[in-house]
């Protein structure tokens, strides 16, 4: 089933089922949430419980639920939620909980696990300046890799932390302490978990190689579960800069192409209204993107999603695949009235055989 989750600065997360009711599409009736999470304290007021990170994860190795886990942030906390539906047993009339979602109009989001982050260096200058007098730390982004069971978190203290998805144990910490590069705004894994891209406020993308060693089945007590992580090695691979002219990058995403498994392309977007495409296999310093797909300084891009056809769907005469891309942005301080753009991109298969350095 298709679900849509929204979150914002008001500390509220709402879950919708966009196409559950046909009359929403035909009669333009309001789309009401089927579940809601509310951490906002009206007594405190002000900025609190801000949701910077929100993502559905299809499979989380810690759990065996048949439905996705919703990952949401709350200031310095990261929560994992699972949907629960209240059902009644016909035999004894008792109310029970089930993770099987049917056609019910409402269900509850059950809090299954919480990660709590603290600043590693309390003397470091706080993010937000005068707006953050208590020197609070904020979780700006998080990304879970299904293949490796590693959770990556970008914090406002300019650190990126890699953790075991089951236990929360720190595996590695990357510290971006230089003032000129700014804080880490977003992170993303490639599908295999071998590369991690971190976006920075100074308009720079750092790409890291991540090699994971896991215990053999013979060394692990429960072979049926995913093997525990033994060691992790993180090394710098490349720096991409110049595409966003030093402006804040809000995010990046790996995209696949045809039958290729190494996701050779990376797209980035930011405050300058640019949407850039990069060669994700490059190494060293790279100062020019492959293409600038969008350039409109009046329309900062805040969110992008990508889908592309499987290579088997291409016609014999076609030499490139069509990637469908949607992005949304805003204006200075306002999202209201701004359009959502959707474009098709034709990508030639030229970087599989020889990565550019």
């Amino acid at each position: 089933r298709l679900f849509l989750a929204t979150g914002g600065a008001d500390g509220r997360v709402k879950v919708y089922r966009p196409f559950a009711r046909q009359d929403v599409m035909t009669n333009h009736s309001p789309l009401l949430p089927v579940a809601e999470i509310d951490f906002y304290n009206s007594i405190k007021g002000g900025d609190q419980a801000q949701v910077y990170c929100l993502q559905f994860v299809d499979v989380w190795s810690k759990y065996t639920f048949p439905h996705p886990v919703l990952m949401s942030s709350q200031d310095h906390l990261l929560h994992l939620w699972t949907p629960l539906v209240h059902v009644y047993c016909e035999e004894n009339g008792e109310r029970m909980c089930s993770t099987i979602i049917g056609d019910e109009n409402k269900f509850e989001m059950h809090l299954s696990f919480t990660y709590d982050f603290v600043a590693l260096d309390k003397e470091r200058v706080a993010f937000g300046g005068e707006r953050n007098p208590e020197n609070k730390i904020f979780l700006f982004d998080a990304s879970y890799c299904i293949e490796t069971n590693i959770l990556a978190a970008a914090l406002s203290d300019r650190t990126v932390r890699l953790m075991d998805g089951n236990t929360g144990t720190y595996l590695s910490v990357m510290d971006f302490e230089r003032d000129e590069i700014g804080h880490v705004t977003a992170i993303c894994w490639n599908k295999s978990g071998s590369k991690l891209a971190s976006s920075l406020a100074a308009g720079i993308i750092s790409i890291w190689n991540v090699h994971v060693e896991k215990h053999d089945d013979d060394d692990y007590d429960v072979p049926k579960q995913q093997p525990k992580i033994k060691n992790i090695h993180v090394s710098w691979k490349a720096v991409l800069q110049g595409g966003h002219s030093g402006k804040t990058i809000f995010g990046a995403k790996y995209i696949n192409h045809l039958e290729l498994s190494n996701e050779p392309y990376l797209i980035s977007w930011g405050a300058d209204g640019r949407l850039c495409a990069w060669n994700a296999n490059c190494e060293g310093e790279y100062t020019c993107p492959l293409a600038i797909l969008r350039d409109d300084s009046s329309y900062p891009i805040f969110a992008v999603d990508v889908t592309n056809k499987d290579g088997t769907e291409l016609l014999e005469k076609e030499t490139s695949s069509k990637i469908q891309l949607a992005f949304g942005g805003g204006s200075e301080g306002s999202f209201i009235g701004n359009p959502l753009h959707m474009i098709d991109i034709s990508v030639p298969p030229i970087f599989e055989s020889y990565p550019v350095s």
Side-chain angles (χ1 to χ4, degrees):
R1 294 182 180 274
L2 179 65
F3 293 97
L4 171 70
T6 62
D10 60 354
R12 296 180 176 91
V13 174
K14 298 183 180 181
V15 181
Y16 300 86
R17 187 177 294 165
F19 302 108
R21 294 169 49 203
Q22 187 64 29
D23 58 339
V24 173
M25 304 298 295
T26 57
N27 300 328
H28 304 286
S29 58
L31 181 62
L32 300 177
V34 294
E36 186 171 347
I37 305 166
D38 191 352
F39 282 113
Y40 187 80
N41 188 331
S42 58
I43 298 177
K44 290 183 179 180
D47 295 333
Q48 56 170 304
Q50 299 184 63
V51 182
Y52 287 107
C53 170
L54 190 64
Q55 177 189 355
F56 278 109
V57 179
D58 291 335
V59 178
W60 197 295
S61 65
K62 184 178 179 65
Y63 307 102
T64 57
F65 299 123
H67 293 282
V69 173
L70 177 62
M71 183 170 66
S72 71
S73 65
Q74 175 198 353
D75 290 340
H76 60 95
L77 303 174
L78 181 66
H79 304 296
L80 301 183
W81 305 88
T82 54
L84 290 180
V85 178
H86 291 290
V87 296
Y88 291 88
C89 180
E90 296 181 357
E91 296 181 0
N92 54 25
E94 295 181 357
R95 190 173 76 164
M96 304 172 62
C97 288
S98 172
T99 58
I100 300 177
I101 299 178
D103 296 326
E104 293 82 3
N105 293 325
K106 294 281 186 178
F107 59 86
E108 294 183 4
M109 299 301 294
H110 172 71
L111 181 58
S112 300
F113 197 80
T114 296
Y115 298 88
D116 189 348
F117 297 94
V118 296
L120 300 182
D121 183 3
K122 295 183 179 180
E123 301 299 324
R124 186 170 296 182
V125 178
F127 172 80
E130 296 180 354
R131 294 185 59 191
N132 187 12
E134 299 179 5
N135 198 12
K136 291 182 178 180
I137 187 174
F138 296 95
L139 177 65
F140 283 152
D141 197 14
S143 180
Y144 176 73
C145 180
I146 296 176
E147 295 295 324
T148 60
N149 186 34
I150 295 179
L151 173 66
L155 283 299
S156 61
D157 65 349
R158 298 175 182 171
T159 61
V160 173
R161 310 179 193 184
L162 307 185
M163 296 164 290
D164 187 302
N166 288 351
T167 64
T169 303
Y170 281 3
L171 302 172
S172 181
V173 177
M174 293 173 282
D175 194 347
F176 298 81
E177 60 181 353
R178 292 187 302 163
D179 291 338
E180 62 269 20
I181 65 174
H183 55 274
V184 182
T185 57
I187 49 179
C188 71
W189 291 102
N190 68 338
K191 186 176 181 180
S192 66
S194 61
K195 286 184 286 192
L196 179 71
S198 54
S199 305
L200 303 173
I204 301 173
I205 300 173
S206 291
I207 299 180
W208 306 85
N209 288 320
V210 181
H211 176 67
V212 180
E213 295 181 19
K214 293 190 176 183
H215 289 279
D216 296 332
D217 289 347
D218 296 338
D219 300 331
Y220 191 35
D221 297 335
V222 189
K224 292 182 180 180
Q225 296 182 7
Q226 191 174 43
K228 289 183 178 179
I229 296 173
K230 185 176 182 180
N231 290 306
I232 183 173
H233 304 278
V234 181
S235 59
W236 174 75
K237 177 180 175 63
V239 168
L240 311 179
Q241 54 186 335
H244 294 277
S245 304
K247 300 295 185 179
T248 300
I249 297 177
F250 290 138
K253 185 183 292 288
Y254 284 93
I255 55 176
N256 206 344
H257 171 60
L258 298 179
E259 301 93 346
L260 305 183
S261 59
N262 64 345
E263 296 170 295
Y265 301 106
L266 182 77
I267 59 170
S268 62
W269 56 92
D272 59 351
R274 282 189 174 184
L275 184 64
C276 298
W278 305 85
N279 171 20
N281 290 331
C282 66
E283 298 180 355
E285 295 187 7
Y286 212 64
T287 59
C288 182
L290 294 173
I292 298 177
L293 307 175
R294 172 85 177 188
D295 189 358
D296 184 357
S297 60
S298 66
Y299 187 85
I301 301 174
F302 297 112
V304 174
D305 204 1
V306 179
T307 182
N308 56 282
K309 297 179 180 179
D310 190 290
T312 57
E313 298 180 12
L314 297 177
L315 300 176
E316 294 182 359
K317 296 182 180 180
E318 290 183 317
T319 58
S320 62
S321 65
K322 295 293 181 64
I323 296 175
Q324 298 172 322
L325 186 148
F327 58 93
S331 59
E332 295 182 2
S334 175
F335 294 93
I336 300 176
N338 291 284
L340 176 71
H341 297 274
M342 300 184 69
I343 59 177
D344 291 333
I345 305 172
S346 296
V347 185
I350 59 174
F351 290 108
E352 169 68 357
S353 57
Y354 52 94
V356 178
S357 298

